[in-house]
């Protein structure tokens, strides 16, 4: 029994705005299940006194001083924009028809 | 869009039956020179999309780097709110799809905020102190600014398209979240306003934010629910978003209490949803219901390593904190020589900072109070605005006062001048110049007006001659009329006495 159901994957796909075919859902359910089980086996190996980590390297406090650096020009910023008005990005109305 | 009129229950009636429960999320924009994760400048009001780097635009392959000053400011806010500071905390991605974030996630903090478990004492207008518990204060970044175009109202509903400016994208934010606030009763709206005012006062005193609500430097989301008196289970709450002035916070909480009570009285259930605040009608309308879209799938930000604090670092930052607001108020009252009642009125009117600035700029405490508590308060009330939003600054008052002291204008004219300043006609000197409001000190012009008045009122002249000097007052009316209110009363008196050969 996989830790991830097909419904879980379909739900995640919807949240992530990814369109998936039935075949892709089946495939991903299996693959994600394997990943979840693999991670679970790490938890078994780690005892309670091992703190959780989110990074492979034990680094902390990587900071930048508060000093202004170079910026893009508006033209550069908008270079890949599908549409723009003056120096702003133009996007479709999001809550259309509400 | 179908706008239906919300049913409301009178506030006092609602409070007889229900207890309000509140909660606030206040976002504070920090005034660092650069953004949270990029060296782009953090400047308000520049040409759209000029203060951006590839990090702000979420371009592929970019790496964020944390602004150390922003972390320090967040710790200082935490300390000022009596919070514990995390020994270790990290950043997380909050995933959602909306064009205000080009990356499709906001970098925030999730289960390990930098500051947690604090409190702040709020003084209400009757002097009672209400303690608000702080759940957490966490670091995150602001989103870009969307302007909805087309449609009839400029609101999101009915817009044809939106324009996006990412200058604000990545500006450092600290979000301050209260614990659930019970027991405010009918003072819930007042407490809401006073709480946001206190947060604003603190971040301004810390100098970690420009704290201008009209610019969105301090923004409040207000959670309101009602439960029947005596009940133990909280009711369903609504969250009114982006309430961006102190008055609006007060009104929004009051409106939601009145609306909730009507819904509950009708036997219906409150829908858990966000509400949009409309300043023009002072109402809220239904926004988005809680749904799957609120499943933000937070996960640790892989591109940022944890922040670890040391006792030494925290103490160094603690040493930079200004005096706490309550102590500061005590000191100011003593410095200014205001009575308890006078000072409380000043605090309640929210003009402590303005008076402090005005005195620092060179007026006496009495003059500063006279203007901020008098004419300016009146103008704000008439305009239905916060005093801070009137456009009157300490410089305005200093200038106005020096015009009075140099006898260019009198007190009455000064009040008119202020009105024109508020109307946007320029500085006091500019207004006096443009509208020719300077006092008539020209003795020949005054003399003619006085002669005319004396001729018209021989009985008054006789009284003055007979030693009743206060009778001069009767001459003042016609003289003022002849000079359109611009005569200097002191000078008129002098001239009258001179003309009659009496020693003043």
């Amino acid at each position: 029994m996989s830790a991830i159901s097909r419904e879980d994957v379909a739900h995640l796909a919807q949240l992530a705005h990814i369109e998936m075919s039935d075949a892709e859902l089946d495939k991903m359910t299996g693959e994600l299940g394997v990943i979840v089980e693999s991670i679970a086996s790490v938890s078994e190996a780690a005892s309670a006194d091992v703190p959780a980590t989110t990074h492979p390297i034990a680094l902390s406090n990587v900071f930048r001083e508060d000093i202004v650096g170079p910026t893009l020009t508006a033209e550069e910023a908008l270079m890949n924009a599908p549409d723009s008005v003056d120096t702003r990005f133009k996007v479709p109305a999001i809550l259309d028809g509400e | 869009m179908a706008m239906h009129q919300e049913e409301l229950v009178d506030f006092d009636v609602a409070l007889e039956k229900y207890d309000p429960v509140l909660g606030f999320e206040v976002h504070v924009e920090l005034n660092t020179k650069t953004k949270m994760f990029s060296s782009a400048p953090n400047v308000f009001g520049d040409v759209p999309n000029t203060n951006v780097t590839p990090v702000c635009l979420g371009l592929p392959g970019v790496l964020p780097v944390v602004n150390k000053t922003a972390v320090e400011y967040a710790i200082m806010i935490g300390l000022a709110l009596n919070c514990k500071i995390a020994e270790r905390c990290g950043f997380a991605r909050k995933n959602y799809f909306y064009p205000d974030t080009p990356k499709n996630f906001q970098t925030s903090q999730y289960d390990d905020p930098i500051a947690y478990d604090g409190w702040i004492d709020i003084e209400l207008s009757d002097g009672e102190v209400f303690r608000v518990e702080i759940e957490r204060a966490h670091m995150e970044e602001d989103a870009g600014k969307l302007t909805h175009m087309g449609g009839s109202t400029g609101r999101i509903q009915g817009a044809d398209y939106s324009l996006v400016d990412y200058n604000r994208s990545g500006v450092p934010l600290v979000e301050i979240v209260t614990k659930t606030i019970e027991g405010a009763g009918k003072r819930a709206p007042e407490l809401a306003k006073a709480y946001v005012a206190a947060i604003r006062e603190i971040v301004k005193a810390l100098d970690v934010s420009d704290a201008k609500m009209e610019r969105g430097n301090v923004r409040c989301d207000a959670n309101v629910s009602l439960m029947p008196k005596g009940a133990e289970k909280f009711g369903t709450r609504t969250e009114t978003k982006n309430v961006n002035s102190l008055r609006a916070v007060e009104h929004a909480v009051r409106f939601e209490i009145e609306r909730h009570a009507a819904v509950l009285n009708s036997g219906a259930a409150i829908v858990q949803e966000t509400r949009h605040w409309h300043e023009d009608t002072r109402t809220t309308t239904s926004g988005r219901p809680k749904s799957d879209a609120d499943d933000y799938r937070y996960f640790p930000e892989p591109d940022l390593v944890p922040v670890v604090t040391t006792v030494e670092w925290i103490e160094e930052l603690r040493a930079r904190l200004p005096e706490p607001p309550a102590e500061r108020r005590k000191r100011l009252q003593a410095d200014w020589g205001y009575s308890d009642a006078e000072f409380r009125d000043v605090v309640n009117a929210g003009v402590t900072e303005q008076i402090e600035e005005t005195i620092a700029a060179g007026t006496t405490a009495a003059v500063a109070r006279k203007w901020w508590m008098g004419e300016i308060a009146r103008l704000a009330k008439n305009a239905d605005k916060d005093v801070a939003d009137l456009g009157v600054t300490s410089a305005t008052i200093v200038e106005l006062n020096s015009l009075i002291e140099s006898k260019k204008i009198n007190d009455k004219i000064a009040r008119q001048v202020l009105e024109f300043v508020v109307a946007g006609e320029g500085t006091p000197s500019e207004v006096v110049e443009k509208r020719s409001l300077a006092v008539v000190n020209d003795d020949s012009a005054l003399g003619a007006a006085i002669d005319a008045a004396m001729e018209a009122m021989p009985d008054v002249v006789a009284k003055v001659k007979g030693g009743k000097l206060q009778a001069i007052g009767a001459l003042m009316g016609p003289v003022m009329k002849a000079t359109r209110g611009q005569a200097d009363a002191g000078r008129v008196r002098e001239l009258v006495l001179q003309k009659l050969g009496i020693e003043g």
Side-chain angles (χ1 to χ4, degrees):
Chain A
M1 174 65 198
S2 169
I4 294 279
S5 72
R6 198 169 183 282
E7 286 69 38
D8 289 335
V9 178
H11 180 59
L12 281 173
Q14 185 215 334
L15 288 174
H17 292 203
I18 298 171
E19 203 176 334
M20 294 180 83
S21 68
D22 283 353
E24 284 170 326
L25 280 177
D26 289 338
K27 181 163 177 260
M28 202 49 76
T29 303
E31 288 183 3
L32 281 177
V34 170
I35 292 168
V36 169
E37 279 160 27
S38 306
I39 300 292
S41 65
V42 175
S43 305
E44 282 165 26
S47 58
D49 59 345
V50 178
T53 182
T54 53
H55 292 83
I57 308 164
L59 270 179
S60 63
N61 292 1
V62 176
F63 293 138
R64 172 177 60 76
E65 294 300 321
D66 188 22
I67 297 167
V68 173
T71 53
L72 299 174
T73 63
E75 292 70 36
E76 288 168 333
L78 291 161
M79 205 156 56
N80 297 322
D83 203 354
S84 63
V85 173
D86 296 328
T87 68
R88 287 186 288 182
F89 293 82
K90 182 178 175 184
V91 299
I94 298 301
L95 294 181
D96 193 29
E98 227 181 78
Chain B
M1 187 184 122
M3 285 280 285
H4 75 285
Q5 190 69 38
E6 298 283 358
E7 297 288 330
L8 302 177
V9 166
D10 176 77
F11 184 74
D12 292 325
V13 174
L15 269 291
E16 277 166 23
K17 193 166 171 188
Y18 301 102
D19 282 328
V21 178
L22 306 175
F24 302 103
E25 289 151 35
V26 174
H27 287 85
V28 177
E29 269 184 356
L30 303 183
N31 61 1
T32 49
K33 294 185 183 68
T34 66
K35 295 188 180 178
M36 187 73 216
F37 304 112
S38 121
S39 58
N42 169 17
V43 179
F44 177 87
D46 281 358
V47 174
N49 294 307
T50 54
N51 294 335
V52 292
T53 67
V55 171
C56 311
L57 296 177
L59 298 183
V62 296
L63 278 177
V65 188
V66 175
N67 181 341
K68 185 181 183 188
T69 303
V71 175
E72 296 194 328
Y73 284 5
I75 293 173
M76 286 164 70
I77 290 174
L79 291 173
L81 296 173
N82 306 294
C83 287
K84 294 173 185 151
I85 304 301
E87 286 174 33
R88 185 185 178 86
C89 65
F91 292 95
R93 292 186 179 185
K94 177 182 180 179
N95 299 280
Y96 69 93
F97 292 94
Y98 199 63
D100 66 357
T101 174
K103 325 183 274 193
N104 292 342
F105 64 85
Q106 177 192 31
T107 309
S108 182
Q109 293 194 283
Y110 184 47
D111 51 10
D112 52 356
I114 188 140
Y116 57 98
D117 281 355
W119 52 265
I120 169 177
D121 282 337
I122 308 297
E123 196 175 324
L124 297 174
S125 60
D126 61 1
E128 196 192 315
V129 173
F130 197 103
R131 176 160 293 191
V132 172
E133 309 270 350
I134 305 294
E135 168 100 22
R136 58 188 279 163
H138 68 255
M139 300 179 280
E140 59 184 30
E141 58 179 340
D142 210 343
K145 183 170 172 50
L146 260 65
T147 309
H148 305 296
M149 307 298 284
S152 55
T153 57
R155 286 181 191 157
I156 191 164
Q157 289 91 349
D160 297 324
Y161 59 93
S162 305
L163 297 178
V164 198
D165 171 12
Y166 290 117
N167 280 353
R168 200 179 63 186
S169 169
V171 165
L173 287 181
V174 170
E175 179 177 345
I176 300 161
V177 183
T178 64
K179 291 186 179 162
T180 308
I181 303 165
E182 293 177 71
K186 67 180 188 326
R187 289 181 305 179
E190 187 199 343
L191 176 65
K193 179 183 176 185
Y195 170 74
V196 178
I199 295 290
R200 193 181 67 164
E201 185 182 16
I202 285 174
V203 297
K204 194 164 182 207
L206 290 171
D207 196 18
V208 298
S209 172
D210 292 343
K212 294 190 173 120
M213 293 192 77
E214 68 275 20
R215 284 191 179 179
N217 297 144
V218 176
R219 313 194 285 265
C220 177
D221 299 342
N223 289 278
V224 175
S225 69
L226 295 185
M227 56 182 181
K229 278 197 182 296
E232 296 198 343
K233 193 168 171 289
F234 293 157
T236 303
R237 68 187 166 87
T238 54
E239 181 180 13
T240 306
K241 288 280 194 188
N242 286 330
V243 195
N244 290 341
S245 77
L246 294 179
R247 292 166 67 88
V249 172
E250 184 174 16
H251 290 304
V253 167
R254 173 181 279 263
F255 180 86
E256 279 298 281
I257 288 173
E258 293 174 348
R259 190 184 67 83
H260 280 219
V263 171
L264 295 172
N265 281 355
S266 76
I270 297 291
V271 180
Q272 187 176 350
E273 62 183 355
T274 58
R275 306 279 303 179
H276 296 299
W277 171 248
H278 305 294
E279 186 63 46
D280 47 357
T281 53
R282 293 218 168 128
T283 57
T284 68
T285 54
S286 177
R288 195 167 51 76
K290 286 273 171 194
S291 71
D292 270 358
D294 293 308
D295 183 347
Y296 293 117
R297 293 158 295 132
Y298 280 94
F299 63 83
E301 164 59 82
D303 291 338
L304 293 169
V305 298
V307 172
V308 173
T309 60
T310 60
V311 174
E312 292 74 34
W313 191 21
I314 292 170
E315 289 315 308
E316 189 194 312
L317 293 170
R318 195 191 302 278
R320 278 161 59 183
L321 298 185
E323 64 183 327
E327 282 172 37
R328 176 168 170 270
R329 283 198 288 269
K330 261 184 217 146
R331 178 177 58 80
L332 291 178
Q333 187 185 347
D335 286 355
W336 298 347
Y338 293 176
S339 71
D340 286 353
E342 283 170 348
F343 194 76
R344 181 174 298 165
D345 287 346
V346 165
V347 171
N348 289 340
V351 294
T352 319
E353 288 155 21
Q354 284 88 342
I355 289 183
E356 189 181 21
E357 281 171 21
T358 306
I359 294 170
T363 76
T364 64
V367 164
R369 195 176 74 85
K370 179 185 86 175
W371 285 102
W372 287 104
M373 295 304 291
E375 197 58 17
I376 302 173
R378 192 184 69 80
L379 290 172
K381 196 172 171 222
N382 287 354
D384 210 6
K385 279 185 176 172
D386 281 346
V387 166
D389 299 337
L390 269 191
V392 178
T393 64
S394 56
T396 317
I397 300 310
V398 170
E399 195 179 328
L400 207 52
N401 192 54
S402 77
L403 288 171
I404 297 170
E405 285 187 344
S406 65
K407 298 201 185 298
K408 282 223 175 63
I409 55 174
N410 58 29
D411 233 55
K412 185 168 162 241
I413 301 276
R415 288 197 291 274
Q416 286 177 24
V417 170
L418 188 67
E419 222 162 298
F420 295 130
V421 170
V422 167
E425 295 192 13
T427 65
S429 301
E430 287 166 4
V431 169
V432 168
E433 176 73 19
K434 267 188 244 165
R435 291 192 164 257
S436 315
L437 290 174
V439 161
V440 176
N441 272 325
D442 167 6
D443 284 356
S444 64
L446 264 186
I450 292 168
D451 287 343
M454 286 169 65
E455 211 177 301
M457 301 172 120
D459 49 330
V460 172
V461 173
K463 277 187 196 164
V464 177
K465 272 187 176 161
K468 284 195 171 173
L469 294 190
Q470 68 270 31
I472 289 177
L475 296 170
M476 217 54 88
V479 171
M480 284 294 176
K481 199 174 171 193
T483 57
R484 292 184 299 131
Q486 286 162 252
D488 175 41
R491 187 65 193 145
V492 172
R493 184 186 155 91
E494 277 170 27
L495 287 174
V496 171
L497 295 178
Q498 207 179 313
K499 281 175 194 292
L500 298 175
I502 302 172
E503 287 287 315

